[in-house]
Amino acid sequence: MSGDILVVVEHRDGVILDTTHELLGGAAKLAAAGGGDVVAVLLGSGLAGLAGSLDGASRAIIVDDPGLDAFSPSSYLAALVPLVRERAPDLVLVANSGPGMDVAAGLSAALDLPLAAYVTDITLDGGSPLVTCQLYAGKIQAAVRFEGGRGIATVVAGSFAPTAAGVSPTTETVPAASTDARIRFRGLHRPEAGDVDITREAVLVSVGRGIGEQDNIELVEALAAAVGGAVSSSRPIADSGWLPRTRQVGKSGLKVKPKVYLALGISGAPEHLEGMRGAELIIAVNTDPRAPIFSVAHYGAVADLLDVVPALTARLGG
Amino acid sequence: MSKELPVIKVDQVNELEHAVVDGIDISGHWNRMFSQRAISDYPTEAMDWVTSLAGGESLRDCYQCGKCVPVCPVQHVGDYGPRKLNAKVLRGNNLLDDPDLWLCTTCGNCYRVCPKEVDPLRIMPAIREQAVLEGKIPDELSDVFRNLQKSGNPMGESPRKRIDWVAEAGVDVPVISQLGRPVDVLWYVSDYTSYHPRGKDAARAMARVLTALGVDFAILGPEERSDGDSARLAGESGLFELLAEQNIKAFSKYEFQRLVVMDPHAYNAFKNHYPRLGWAGEVLHYTQFLAPLVDDIEFRSSVELDVTYHDPCYLGRNNGEYDAPRRLLQAIPGIRLVEMPHTKSNGYCCGGGGGGMWLDGFVADHVSERLSERRVREAVATVGMDGSGVLSVACPYEPSRFEDAVKSTGNDGRLDVRDIVELIDQAMQPSGS
Amino acid sequence: MDYVVLLKQVPDLAEELEIDSAGTGLDREWMSYVASEWDEYALEEALQLREANGGTVTCLALGVATGDVDEVLATCLARGADRVVKVGSFDESPDSHAAAAAFAEALEPIPHDLILTGVQAIDDLDGQVGPLLAARRGMPHLSVVTHIAVSGDGRSVTAHQEYAGGVVGEFEVDLPAVLGVQSSREAPRYAPVSRVRQLLKTATIETVDVAGGGPRSGLVVESMSVPETGAAAEMIAGNAQAIAERIAELLAERGITGGAAR
């Protein structure tokens, strides 16, 4: 693969998202191995100043247009499709986020470029990219190639490490080749500040569907009190309203890095792992020995949390 | 049901200054009375609607005598009762939106004492079916219905895992499709016995007992589907029929003399409801099957335990079998059998029937304690006061319900819950094993 | 307002997934299928929107031989959809690009103002059907959507797109459009089995042919495997008491001794 690797930059509130830095780090490693440049594409209005922090990219294309002052799938695609067609990179990297999914599929359909989704790794094999994709809630992985050796990958957060080369890319600024205002941004909503900021807690006792009934949450709260931590949860628990949304860990929730993360009755779907795989000590309890959580946990037990939790609480003097 | 209620007519008031009868003044508070009032002042649409449903007819027969009140298990712990349900309907209330619709466990105790044979075992599923058709059903319950439909068991587990328990039975458990020949007994293991950890203990015990007795048996294995009887009573007759179709198709593929079941709910379904759906073989609850063979069981140790027996509603009261389980218990050396106050036909329901197994969260909001907790307290008072007693059961719903209740009532260590077959199995092992 | 919902079945994760002998696909022998969870949210949203604003709900699913598409469509009718259409005929579920092409063709004569489908499905190797379909038909698409509302004049909708950290972006989308639904405002309504069975016997499930060939994913699966689970974790054996004991030890090693005040 001698061609360029194009990375679509995601930013919000004037800050480039961590996922973009991860993509750039991954792209830099690939380019170092295979040749070609890493080209970041930053879409926005008056955001040229952000380009300096795109560590890992040797070049940055800034698409500057008032119609791009906020993310919108229609305006991003209107600008990106002609750009990508013109620049013809070998690989396009996009984060596996809402905006990423919108953009990647649009590019794939418009440009007839294969798209691999839920990518957790990319290597070079015989000069062309070999991607690893995660499917079936993380239970299966597939090693996949693009026909023709060129394609688009939507990458799961946390798959690559950002680079710290400290080199800013050279920039070029272009206008948006076309516009499409059929989707218009109206504003951001942030969650109400909750009672507890789980991103600041040293110990998190986290529950998933294995908790069974809402009444059982109090067992976990007792454990959290005994251990001096806070209760957090996977998405289904927050969706059911059993815990506030501010306790949700994962792709749509919060990213946490506590000293200790107790994953109780959480299967470990990729969206959840994204939020907690950086914890220092992960202990998982689940009745399913094949639960994907065991692949990131440091210690695991195949057991029912409803048996283990009261025993642990009692053992800790709670 | 009509919302246009008639204006309440002003009753004529008759008042006497003195009430004199045959020259004697018998004045009292009855000096002031209302004129007679016709019962049809209440709109009849609600009752007409219930009685128009197949199975709902007997609700109208209630004449409010109140004999059902002291025997309804839910009435002991809450505000609900069969007589109250009739009264609500008489007064025009719509049960479809009423939580009371889901509190009845179809234990049948009210029907047993009712002089008019008002039958909630037929009325409840009829009204509940209408609720289901309108989507008015607690989420807890619809989740289980989905699982039953998808996987043939209430947990939503893979059908293939239905025979996971076999690996540690310690004896051969043939799957009839692999055996390829007729058998005497097709042993229907059932959902909780196959999937729940405590159920699996009973399954293994039963396998060992059957083997020791030289019974020619086999199981259906992954082809086995839930009996669906509780789903039927909770309003999903379509689901019951779907499961029955699948089970009957499996039964019809093989040759066997009789069906032996662990679960009284399965017993009820196969014996009383499958014939109209096309299968009418001989069905026995496992206690009925083992009781005549009890003299052939070689007991090698004595089980010194104070044991009380909980009559499952669907084996005891609703299907008339009280003796077989007791004969088995009395045959086990060492067992001292003591009856609870609520025994045999007056047994107190554990709360699992009629869909109650899957409504604990919902029901908890309407009762002061769970039925299973109340029953456990009665069992502790009977055999658990001085050390450890045993509550013996013969229904796979029980071990998990009662063990949870033992913990939640703070009686850990005072009462063990064991299936009768586990006790038999234990007594078959040499002492000290 | 004409709502269209696209649905499919996916393998049921309650079953163990196994790799086939070729090593590039899933072994289908013991596979059972369920409706894709997010597609059910999309249908529930469509029904809720119809209840609020009027209109029709039409459900489309590809005519795949695996699983039971008829049951999926009968369930849509049982939940209250107005019309169901089975699209094309496939031996097994095609990739998302081919699926999008088939739906795009089938939609030609079907009135559609708002197309809803699940934001993703667990087998979407080559991306999601919603945005691919939108691109083929030149419609705008927004994914990870909740809180859909139709504007007063019925020519656009507002919707939320979820980001990390609970942050949400609010957008206005011109119709016709495609939205990838993340979750519905109410849990998907229950479809009584008797009604579904009844509909399977009596209802009209329209079928429409689509031209074969056309775009495919352009991906080559070299191999599929089950990631090694438990390989990372050191497993603790024993009963609940033993497990609790070990966990308490691990916590103590890190200075967490319990009974700690917050």
Side-chain angles (χ1 to χ4, degrees):
Chain A
M1 185 182 77
S2 54
D4 293 340
I5 303 174
L6 203 135
V7 174
V8 178
V9 175
E10 253 190 274
H11 58 87
R12 196 164 299 127
D13 280 345
V15 175
I16 296 192
L17 299 188
D18 286 346
T19 48
T20 297
H21 292 300
E22 290 170 12
L23 292 180
L24 290 170
K29 273 178 88 172
L30 281 171
D37 283 345
V38 176
V39 182
V41 178
L42 170 61
L43 302 105
S45 181
L47 287 178
L50 287 184
S53 65
L54 293 168
D55 205 340
S58 53
R59 290 155 37 213
I61 303 173
I62 304 167
V63 184
D64 195 86
D65 194 291
L68 291 169
D69 67 340
F71 168 73
S72 132
S74 58
S75 55
Y76 265 47
L77 278 172
L80 277 171
V81 167
L83 183 66
V84 176
R85 179 182 290 124
E86 183 201 322
R87 305 297 175 119
D90 275 359
L91 190 56
V92 179
L93 298 185
V94 183
N96 182 45
S97 60
M101 293 198 286
D102 289 333
V103 160
L107 284 173
S108 172
L111 302 173
D112 220 2
L113 264 182
L115 163 59
Y118 308 104
V119 171
T120 53
D121 196 14
I122 308 179
T123 55
L124 286 180
D125 188 59
S128 47
L130 182 67
V131 301
T132 305
C133 298
Q134 224 178 33
L135 296 172
Y136 302 105
K139 294 193 170 197
I140 297 282
Q141 65 190 27
V144 174
R145 240 179 230 297
F146 302 114
E147 279 173 8
R150 299 172 58 232
I152 306 167
T154 53
V155 180
V156 174
S159 300
F160 299 128
T163 185
V167 180
S168 300
T170 57
T171 63
E172 79 178 272
T173 306
V174 300
S178 62
T179 58
D180 181 346
R182 286 179 298 169
I183 299 183
R184 297 173 292 282
F185 177 71
R186 280 280 162 272
L188 279 181
H189 298 274
R190 275 165 238 281
E192 277 163 31
D195 48 341
V196 162
D197 181 356
I198 57 172
T199 63
R200 286 192 181 332
E201 293 282 335
V203 181
L204 285 176
V205 180
S206 204
V207 299
R209 279 197 241 236
I211 194 75
E213 293 167 16
Q214 185 170 9
D215 287 349
N216 293 330
I217 302 258
E218 54 187 37
L219 291 174
V220 177
E221 277 167 357
L223 175 58
V227 90
V231 177
S232 59
S233 81
S234 64
R235 190 193 177 109
I237 303 296
D239 278 352
S240 300
W242 294 358
L243 283 172
R245 190 63 73 181
T246 46
R247 304 292 185 113
Q248 183 184 327
V249 173
K251 178 172 170 205
S252 293
L254 295 167
K255 247 178 133 173
V256 297
K257 266 189 155 170
K259 259 171 96 170
V260 177
Y261 190 87
L262 287 177
L264 307 170
I266 293 177
S267 67
E271 291 83 14
H272 186 76
L273 297 185
E274 260 185 61
M276 42 61 71
R277 66 189 316 143
E280 281 174 42
L281 172 65
I282 303 172
I283 304 176
V285 176
N286 197 298
T287 51
D288 178 6
R290 286 172 83 156
I293 191 79
F294 291 128
S295 66
V296 297
H298 301 99
Y299 294 90
V302 179
D304 190 338
L305 74 96
L306 294 176
D307 293 327
V308 174
V309 167
L312 184 57
T313 307
R315 171 67 181 71
L316 292 169
Chain B
M1 275 153 274
S2 170
K3 284 281 186 208
E4 288 212 10
L5 299 172
V7 168
I8 294 178
K9 295 201 247 336
V10 174
D11 292 308
Q12 194 177 327
V13 177
N14 300 322
E15 190 151 12
L16 301 169
E17 210 184 309
H18 297 283
V20 177
V21 176
D22 285 350
I24 303 173
D25 189 340
I26 56 161
S27 295
H29 63 83
W30 43 80
N31 285 20
R32 183 176 199 273
M33 287 193 194
F34 291 140
S35 56
Q36 287 171 317
R37 200 190 286 158
I39 203 162
S40 59
D41 271 2
Y42 289 104
T44 60
E45 287 89 345
M47 183 59 82
D48 291 342
W49 178 78
V50 172
T51 56
S52 72
L53 302 171
E57 306 86 348
S58 63
L59 186 62
R60 200 194 294 276
D61 298 336
C62 170
Y63 59 15
Q64 297 281 303
C65 70
K67 291 194 71 180
C68 57
V69 172
V71 299
C72 172
V74 187
Q75 186 105 48
H76 286 210
V77 293
D79 212 14
Y80 165 86
R83 179 172 82 154
K84 191 167 277 193
L85 211 74
N86 168 274
K88 281 191 173 190
V89 174
L90 272 180
R91 281 155 182 67
N93 287 295
N94 175 2
L95 287 181
L96 295 188
D97 296 311
D98 192 333
D100 276 2
L101 180 59
W102 302 102
L103 298 183
C104 172
T105 64
T106 66
C107 80
N109 216 357
C110 57
Y111 178 68
R112 175 178 70 88
V113 302
C114 178
K116 301 286 278 181
E117 294 189 355
V118 177
D119 191 357
L121 269 75
R122 304 197 60 215
I123 296 167
M124 283 303 162
I127 306 177
R128 288 171 177 180
E129 179 162 29
Q130 299 304 314
V132 167
L133 286 171
E134 288 194 25
K136 295 183 174 178
I137 165 180
D139 282 342
E140 264 179 283
L141 196 53
S142 61
D143 285 346
V144 169
F145 287 167
R146 273 181 234 267
N147 288 343
L148 282 167
Q149 198 179 345
K150 170 182 81 101
S151 315
N153 63 79
M155 307 77 166
E157 295 266 20
S158 162
R160 278 198 288 167
K161 293 194 179 153
R162 213 170 173 101
I163 48 172
D164 277 2
W165 65 269
V166 169
E168 277 157 56
V171 293
D172 254 345
V173 181
V175 174
I176 196 166
S177 59
Q178 289 158 14
L179 201 55
R181 63 165 173 80
V183 294
D184 177 18
V185 167
L186 181 61
W187 172 27
Y188 177 89
V189 184
S190 90
D191 305 320
Y192 289 92
T193 317
S194 305
Y195 289 105
H196 191 278
R198 287 290 288 122
K200 292 184 195 182
D201 291 338
R204 295 180 192 121
M206 179 69 168
R208 291 190 286 263
V209 172
L210 288 174
T211 303
L213 283 171
V215 177
D216 176 30
F217 75 95
I219 63 173
L220 276 173
E223 279 186 284
E224 188 182 286
R225 288 280 173 279
S226 177
D227 56 87
D229 207 46
S230 294
R232 179 182 63 83
L233 290 159
E236 253 292 10
S237 62
L239 179 54
F240 176 76
E241 281 169 17
L242 175 70
L243 291 164
E245 245 168 56
Q246 292 165 346
N247 274 333
I248 291 174
K249 192 163 160 215
F251 294 166
S252 308
K253 284 185 354 192
Y254 308 111
E255 274 181 70
F256 53 92
Q257 300 294 329
R258 45 233 167 119
L259 197 58
V260 172
V261 308
M262 302 304 282
D263 185 346
H265 300 276
Y267 179 73
N268 191 60
F270 300 156
K271 182 156 165 282
N272 299 322
H273 296 277
Y274 272 36
R276 64 178 164 85
L277 296 172
W279 184 86
E282 188 187 342
V283 190
L284 294 165
H285 184 257
Y286 89 83
T287 53
Q288 297 172 318
F289 175 72
L290 288 180
L293 304 174
V294 73
D295 291 333
D296 299 334
I297 299 178
E298 205 184 316
F299 292 113
R300 292 191 184 80
S301 57
S302 182
V303 179
E304 301 288 327
L305 290 172
D306 292 311
V307 175
T308 190
Y309 171 64
H310 168 81
D311 289 284
C313 300
Y314 274 90
L315 179 64
R317 186 171 37 247
N318 292 334
N319 278 297
E321 181 61 73
Y322 306 110
D323 294 331
R326 287 173 169 83
R327 262 193 289 157
L328 287 175
L329 284 167
Q330 275 153 348
I332 302 174
I335 297 240
R336 296 175 292 275
L337 185 59
V338 188
E339 298 286 348
M340 288 186 274
H342 288 87
T343 187
K344 297 193 180 169
S345 63
N346 195 26
Y348 186 87
C349 180
C350 76
M357 190 66 172
W358 311 309
L359 282 166
D360 276 323
F362 179 88
V363 168
D365 290 338
H366 298 95
V367 295
S368 59
E369 70 174 322
R370 293 194 173 153
L371 304 194
S372 50
E373 290 170 337
R374 193 169 183 79
R375 187 56 155 168
V376 156
R377 293 198 293 117
E378 187 176 0
V380 168
T382 307
V383 291
M385 293 308 287
D386 48 356
S388 179
V390 172
L391 174 57
S392 67
V393 297
C395 171
Y397 284 23
E398 315 297 12
S400 61
R401 295 191 75 70
F402 286 144
E403 285 184 355
D404 279 350
V406 166
K407 289 190 197 133
S408 59
T409 54
N411 279 300
D412 236 341
R414 295 167 95 187
L415 192 70
D416 277 341
V417 181
R418 312 282 298 285
D419 195 302
I420 294 180
V421 76
E422 290 183 275
L423 294 167
I424 296 177
D425 180 49
Q426 183 178 340
M428 276 169 40
Q429 313 302 326
S431 315
S433 61
Chain C
M1 270 289 263
D2 293 309
Y3 303 95
V4 170
V5 183
L6 311 177
L7 301 108
K8 71 169 172 178
Q9 283 187 318
V10 292
D12 183 4
L13 292 180
E15 296 284 352
E16 302 290 358
L17 297 178
E18 280 156 13
I19 312 294
D20 66 16
S21 47
T24 56
L26 291 184
D27 184 351
R28 300 197 181 273
E29 195 199 338
W30 285 104
M31 200 167 278
S32 64
Y33 295 86
V34 289
S36 176
E37 190 185 335
W38 292 277
D39 290 345
E40 297 204 287
Y41 300 146
L43 174 60
E44 181 60 31
E45 272 300 291
L47 294 168
Q48 295 275 350
L49 287 165
R50 184 190 61 186
E51 265 154 45
N53 306 296
T56 65
V57 173
T58 302
C59 294
L60 269 57
L62 297 183
V64 298
T66 51
D68 194 342
V69 182
D70 284 358
E71 202 198 330
V72 171
L73 292 173
T75 304
C76 292
L77 288 171
R79 287 180 170 150
D82 298 293
R83 183 183 168 200
V84 295
V85 181
K86 193 158 52 169
V87 176
S89 174
F90 301 85
D91 285 338
E92 49 181 45
S93 210
D95 61 50
S96 298
H97 283 70
F103 282 129
E105 197 186 321
L107 278 167
E108 198 57 49
I110 297 179
H112 54 274
D113 296 308
L114 182 60
I115 300 177
L116 299 175
T117 189
V119 60
Q120 61 185 4
I122 57 178
D123 57 358
D124 278 346
L125 178 63
D126 64 319
Q128 297 80 29
V129 172
L132 290 170
L133 167 69
R136 286 190 72 76
R137 290 199 62 92
M139 287 192 281
H141 171 273
L142 187 67
S143 62
V144 205
V145 155
T146 56
H147 294 85
I148 306 169
V150 179
S151 69
D153 63 4
R155 294 176 46 185
S156 64
V157 293
T158 56
H160 290 184
Q161 180 175 58
E162 285 188 1
Y163 305 128
V167 177
V168 148
E170 188 179 325
F171 291 87
E172 203 173 76
V173 182
D174 287 343
L175 299 180
V178 182
L179 299 180
V181 176
Q182 170 66 41
S183 65
S184 47
R185 67 197 73 185
E186 298 280 349
R189 59 198 65 187
Y190 181 69
V193 174
S194 51
R195 187 171 283 152
V196 175
R197 277 154 67 86
Q198 175 73 10
L199 287 162
L200 274 169
K201 287 186 209 142
T202 62
T204 312
I205 296 180
E206 298 169 44
T207 54
V208 65
D209 288 326
V210 288
R216 288 164 33 254
S217 68
L219 297 176
V220 176
V221 176
E222 300 273 311
S223 69
M224 268 197 186
S225 58
V226 176
E228 279 176 31
T229 55
E234 187 183 310
M235 299 307 281
I236 308 168
N239 63 8
Q241 214 54 49
I243 293 166
E245 192 54 52
R246 182 78 180 108
I247 296 178
E249 266 173 34
L250 292 166
L251 294 175
E253 278 167 26
R254 277 155 189 81
I256 297 157
T257 47
R262 294 198 49 206

